[in-house]
Amino acid sequence: MRDLILLGFTALCLAAAIRHPFAGLLTWAWFTLMTPHQAAYGVYGVPLNVIIAGVTIASYIVSGEISKFRFDPITALIVLFGGWLMIAQAFSLSPENSAVYHDRFIKTLLFIVLCAQMAAGKLRFHALVWTVVASIGFFAAKGAAFTFATLGQYRVQGLPNTILEDNNHFGIAVATILPLILYLREESARPLVRRGLLAMFCLAIIAIIGTHSRGAFLALIAFSGFFWIRAKHKFAILGGLILVTAPAIAFMPGKWTERMSTIGEATQDASFMGRVDAWVINYKLAAAHPMTGAGLRNSYEKEIAQSVDIERAERAKAAHSIYFEVLGGSGFVGLFIYLSLFAAAFLSSWRIYLSRNNQRLAPWKSRFAYYAQMSLTVFAIGGASVSLEMWDGYLIVIALIGALSKMAGADAKPVGHALREARQRYWRGRKRLKQLLGETENTV
């Protein structure tokens, strides 16, 4: 029955996507973030996401919407980064191993480019934001319920066989959407929706605590600090955060407190030092191949890791860092482009937020810029401890900032266009007047 419902709903979405490409993009985002086919049985393994992607791209081209494609700094950096990953793959130390991750990342970047181009207009924009929040928020609510049911004795995990299965990955993904939940709550007009989003926000915090992830807990602290610093009503915000987090922390078992207390003793923790070893190996691989690196995730290969550091290769595991994953996989050039993408998104959102007093700018745009900047900051901090560089969630936030920057720029165009038209009419009128005066003089 679950399979029939999923297939039937997917068929309806594909039918809508044939005429409206953005419907296909939303379905694509839903499958990417929530992976509903992973929870089914008979359709497990069926490439529904590939079919959805194919129909969406074909509809995007056939409908003529592709003619609206415009490069902006963020889109250009995404395309440039994807192009560099292709070059890095061509010089990969183990092409067979890195090809899997390379293909996955390229497909993700293609999807993100379409998000940046197609999320035009408030309705589409908010539909994509809701898709991100609802997809991750569902699992956050489920994780909070699991934490209550088990009295916090077990870790909250994501859906098996997905990028968010790991408790660390899941916790940081949930922390990343916390600002987006607050944004939608602020934008929602109906009290029932606002209360529902507030409940989701509280459950998301509990789910983060329930993951037992130190990295996710640090991301939660980063969110709290960033939000408190920029909030107008600081004491009210601080009281609200304490009201939610304090009972949840008190509810957790002693082993959770012991685990969190080791954050300050990272150098004595074998797990953390294993990550440091992996960071060193990725750095050394990049130093040996500064332009293209070793190829995505090739540092996981023991033989390749031993080629730069035999001792650390015995202890190292996954890099557990978006920065070192990109560095080791695509070299210093790839990391520079990747960091430039973050910087461009951060600065674009900051510029839009600073324009909040501009009467031509819709208030919701500056508000989203404020919360999107917060979301990126939380992920940038949390991402230093997890291998989530290929996760679509934070990349969709970057794409939304790109789409927003184009819309915010377009807000000023009508005024500038009218001014140019007025100037042109003035000069045309003046030229015509001279011509008339000249004809009059000649007649006289």
Side-chain angles (χ1 to χ4, degrees), residues 253-294:
K255 63 180 181 180
W256 183 91
T257 306
E258 293 175 3
R259 181 172 176 80
M260 296 304 113
S261 65
T262 61
I263 291 177
E265 305 169 357
T267 56
Q268 301 176 15
D269 183 78
S271 175
F272 177 78
M273 294 310 297
R275 296 184 181 189
V276 173
D277 290 332
W279 296 347
V280 172
I281 287 174
N282 276 274
Y283 173 79
K284 289 185 174 182
L285 285 172
H289 310 276
M291 295 297 292
T292 59

Side-chain angles (χ1 to χ4, degrees), residues 331-368:
F332 289 98
V333 177
L335 180 62
F336 175 78
I337 300 172
Y338 185 69
L339 294 178
S340 297
L341 179 61
F342 268 90
F346 191 88
L347 292 175
S348 293
S349 59
W350 180 249
R351 177 179 56 82
I352 296 170
Y353 174 68
L354 291 179
S355 302
R356 60 189 180 277
N357 294 326
N358 187 341
Q359 295 181 353
R360 296 193 299 269
L361 185 70
W364 69 268
K365 295 179 182 178
S366 60
R367 281 196 290 268
F368 179 82

Side-chain angles (χ1 to χ4, degrees), residues 175-297:
T176 302
I177 70 161
L178 287 176
L180 301 184
I181 297 175
L182 293 179
Y183 166 74
L184 289 178
R185 182 177 182 273
E186 193 170 327
E187 285 297 306
S188 300
R190 297 186 177 183
L192 182 61
V193 176
R194 290 171 60 86
R195 286 194 290 268
L197 287 168
L198 180 60
M200 179 186 289
F201 178 79
C202 297
L203 291 174
I205 291 177
I206 294 171
I208 293 169
I209 295 173
T211 61
H212 292 224
S213 169
R214 290 169 291 188
F217 189 67
L218 287 174
L220 179 60
I221 293 174
F223 162 75
S224 303
F226 194 91
F227 189 46
W228 183 79
I229 289 172
R230 300 183 68 178
K232 294 181 180 179
H233 307 288
K234 296 185 183 297
F235 291 102
I237 295 298
L238 181 62
L241 290 173
I242 293 175
L243 187 63
V244 176
T245 56
I249 292 174
F251 174 80
M252 298 301 290
K255 63 180 181 180
W256 183 91
T257 306
E258 293 175 3
R259 181 172 176 80
M260 296 304 113
S261 65
T262 61
I263 291 177
E265 305 169 357
T267 56
Q268 301 176 15
D269 183 78
S271 175
F272 177 78
M273 294 310 297
R275 296 184 181 189
V276 173
D277 290 332
W279 296 347
V280 172
I281 287 174
N282 276 274
Y283 173 79
K284 289 185 174 182
L285 285 172
H289 310 276
M291 295 297 292
T292 59
L296 292 177
R297 303 291 174 92

